Each structure stands twice: as C-alpha cells, then as structure tokens.
Amino acid sequence: MALRNHSTITEFILIGLSDDPHIKALLFVLFLGIYLLTMIENLMILLIIRADSHLHTPMYFFLRNLSFVDLYFSCVTLPKLLEDLLSEEKTISVEGCLAQVFFVFIAPGTEAYLLSVMAYDHYAAICHLLLYGQVMSNQLCVRLVLISWGLTSLDAVIIVLLAINLDFCEAQTIYHYTCELPSLLPLSCSDVSIYIDILICSILLHGLGTFLPIFFSYTRIVSTILGISSTTGRSKAFSTCSSHLIAVILFFGLGMLRYLMPPSGSSLDLLFSILSSTASKTMKTAVKRTLRKYRQYFMV
C-alpha cells in the first residue's frame, strides 16, 4: 500500500488522551488492567467453550467468535495506546496508520454482523424451538461467521483504498489515540467531500444491514414471549431482551455517531470513541448473560 509520490508526510503524531505525566501514568495503569482483564476473560471463554462438549451449540459458537473479536480488537488498539502513554513522541508511520485503519474497522464491523446473526439465532431458539437443530445447523453457523468476516473485510478494504488516495501535505497531528478514517480526513490537503460521502454510505449500509435483522428478530421474539402463559417466564424473558436491546442501541447509536458526525478534531471525537468502546464491552456482557438465560429458560 504505497502512497502517491506527492504526499510529503511520512508519519503522524497521535495526540493521545493527555500530556500530563501523572494522568498518563494513571491511564497507563487503567488501560493495562483493562487489556489484561480482556485477554484473560476472553481466552478463558474460548478455552471453556472448546473444552466443554455441552457448550458446542450455535449460541456458544457465536459467543466464542464474539469473544475472539473482542480479543482481536484489544490487540489492535491497546498495545499502541500503552506504548504512547509511556513515550514522549507518540508517532506512527503512514503505512502503520493505514494498517491500523484497516484492522480497527474490521473489529466493530464484524461484531455488528455477529450480533445480527445472534439475534436470528435467538429468534430460531425461541420462536422455532422444535426445529432449532435443523434451522441452525453447524454448516449454516460456519457460513454465517465466514460471511460476517468476509463482508467486513471487504468494507475495510474500501475504507483503506479511500485513505490511500488521500494526499497529506503539512498537517500530521491526529487528534485521537488511534488511527481511524474520520480522524485522517481533516489532515488531508485533498478534496475529501467524495470520501466523506462514500464513508457515510458505507456506514449506513453496514449499520442498517445489521441492525434491521436484529430489530425484526426481536419483534418476533417479543410477539412469541407475549404468548407464554407463565407470568414469571414472560418477566424473565422480557428482562433479558430489554437489557440486550438497550446494549444494541448503545452500540449502534454511538458507533454511527462516531463515524457519521463531521470530523471536528475536538475532544468530542475522543469521547464518542471511548463511549463506543465501553458500549461494546457492555454489549458483550449483556450477550453473555442473555445466552446463559436463554439456555436456562428455553432449554436449548
């Protein structure tokens, strides 16, 4: 991925989260703890699901892939952030920045597809319980995961191709702690209007294409739950669905705001990025709790 010759910038400077040495030290400890906990938690989930044959079901297959995405995203973003918190010069090469744009885009994109697939799995488990084994076959589950990764990788390639064609002449300070296309656009001396339009279209298609199946799946789930005669069963099921849906709305809402809002280079971009990451963690926690409850209440 070579930039065109008349682009004079060879590296970018990541502004990071703070320049205060004391705050940087506290942030380093905080994010190091988050990184280690994320690694341990997700590795344990992967190992436990693999080792326990009773967990070799579609629900836990998707959970395993969701945990892998969480592990992948942490490895792409946090090591560089931790390095910058310890160093005075927070630089990254143009090639390294474009690579990070690619890999950072894959994680939330794949997660969105997996959440959509899991919503369909929940719909099949609740609304078609007797046919669940036939509907959610092992072959279908593998294909759905491969499609999730494949479509997101294609989107990421398009995003990186947009970034490669940008010219960077003088500005080299990225007002963020990681490389993302919305943070690169204000630095370009090219006309970025067409790139912004393409980015918005890509995000809208990706977001709507994954959120709408979740919406329709849970519409059918709620309709089915209303037909449950047991008041206790309905209450528990509604509680599970409501917490999951709130987390989904946070994930998609904050994520789309991050990419669709005009790049301003302000601390608001950092805030939305951190909130999106936090919502992602909340989503995963809600999904794991949902899977346990579905297994318990609906005996799948």
Side-chain angles (χ1 to χ4, degrees):
M1 296 189 303
L3 291 175
R4 291 187 287 182
N5 292 332
H6 53 275
S7 186
T8 60
I9 297 298
T10 59
E11 64 180 15
F12 294 112
I13 300 173
L14 295 169
I15 198 65
L17 298 175
S18 176
D19 290 327
D20 188 308
H22 300 290
I23 295 180
K24 287 172 63 176
L26 291 175
L27 290 174
F28 176 82
V29 174
L30 174 64
F31 283 104
L32 178 61
I34 292 174
Y35 182 49
L36 293 176
L37 287 174
T38 300
M39 294 284 289
I40 294 172
E41 177 192 11
N42 287 286
L43 285 174
M44 287 183 63
I45 290 174
L46 293 174
L47 292 173
I48 290 172
I49 294 178
R50 182 177 179 83
D52 191 345
S53 59
H54 295 93
L55 302 181
H56 294 175
T57 63
M59 289 184 180
Y60 285 93
F61 174 73
F62 295 132
L63 176 58
R64 184 173 63 181
N65 280 275
L66 196 65
S67 294
F68 179 77
V69 171
D70 194 14
L71 194 67
Y72 160 87
F73 183 67
S74 299
C75 292
V76 169
T77 56
L78 288 179
K80 178 59 179 174
L81 174 59
L82 293 173
E83 177 189 346
D84 290 341
L85 288 172
L86 290 179
S87 61
E88 293 296 330
E89 297 183 1
K90 296 170 284 193
T91 60
I92 184 172
S93 66
V94 173
E95 292 78 9
C97 189
L98 292 178
Q100 195 173 55
V101 168
F102 176 79
F103 291 115
V104 165
F105 190 85
I106 285 180
T110 303
E111 182 175 340
Y113 277 114
L114 287 175
L115 292 173
S116 180
V117 168
M118 293 171 78
Y120 175 74
D121 177 68
H122 296 164
Y123 157 75
I126 297 173
C127 302
H128 301 285
L129 180 59
L130 297 179
L131 298 176
Y132 178 74
Q134 300 177 15
V135 174
M136 299 302 298
S137 64
N138 292 334
Q139 294 83 355
L140 177 62
C141 293
V142 172
R143 288 173 187 169
L144 290 174
V145 169
L146 291 178
I147 290 173
S148 300
W149 282 96
L151 290 177
T152 307
S153 298
L154 179 61
D155 285 345
V157 168
I158 295 174
I159 294 300
V160 171
L161 289 177
L162 295 179
I164 286 177
N165 289 315
L166 294 174
D167 294 322
F168 301 98
C169 304
E170 296 181 2
Q172 57 182 146
T173 301
I174 298 177
Y175 292 92
H176 207 269
Y177 57 87
T178 189
C179 287
E180 296 183 4
L181 190 58
S183 302
L184 288 180
L185 291 177
L187 306 183
S188 176
C189 50
S190 307
D191 180 8
V192 298
S193 57
I194 186 172
Y195 299 103
I196 294 176
D197 292 339
I198 294 175
L199 178 62
I200 290 175
C201 290
S202 175
I203 297 300
L204 283 176
L205 289 174
H206 194 113
L208 291 176
T210 52
F211 179 76
L212 288 179
I214 294 176
F215 176 78
F216 288 118
S217 294
Y218 272 97
T219 300
R220 293 297 303 275
I221 288 172
V222 171
S223 176
T224 301
I225 291 175
L226 290 175
I228 298 176
S229 57
S230 170
T231 304
T232 303
R234 287 201 305 269
S235 176
K236 291 179 178 179
F238 272 125
S239 175
T240 300
C241 291
S242 62
S243 62
H244 188 201
L245 285 176
I246 290 173
V248 170
I249 292 171
L250 285 174
F251 174 81
F252 281 94
L254 291 174
M256 293 187 71
L257 279 176
R258 168 69 188 113
Y259 280 96
L260 295 181
M261 66 184 299
S264 60
S266 68
S267 57
L268 190 61
D269 289 340
L270 292 176
L271 177 61
F272 273 118
S273 182
I274 295 173
L275 286 176
S276 298
S277 179
T278 303
S280 176
K281 301 289 185 184
T282 304
M283 163 61 77
K284 293 182 180 71
T285 301
V287 168
K288 294 166 189 174
R289 185 171 58 250
T290 300
L291 289 176
R292 289 195 298 269
K293 289 185 177 180
Y294 279 152
R295 183 178 175 86
Q296 177 182 354
Y297 299 148
F298 297 98
M299 303 298 292
V300 176

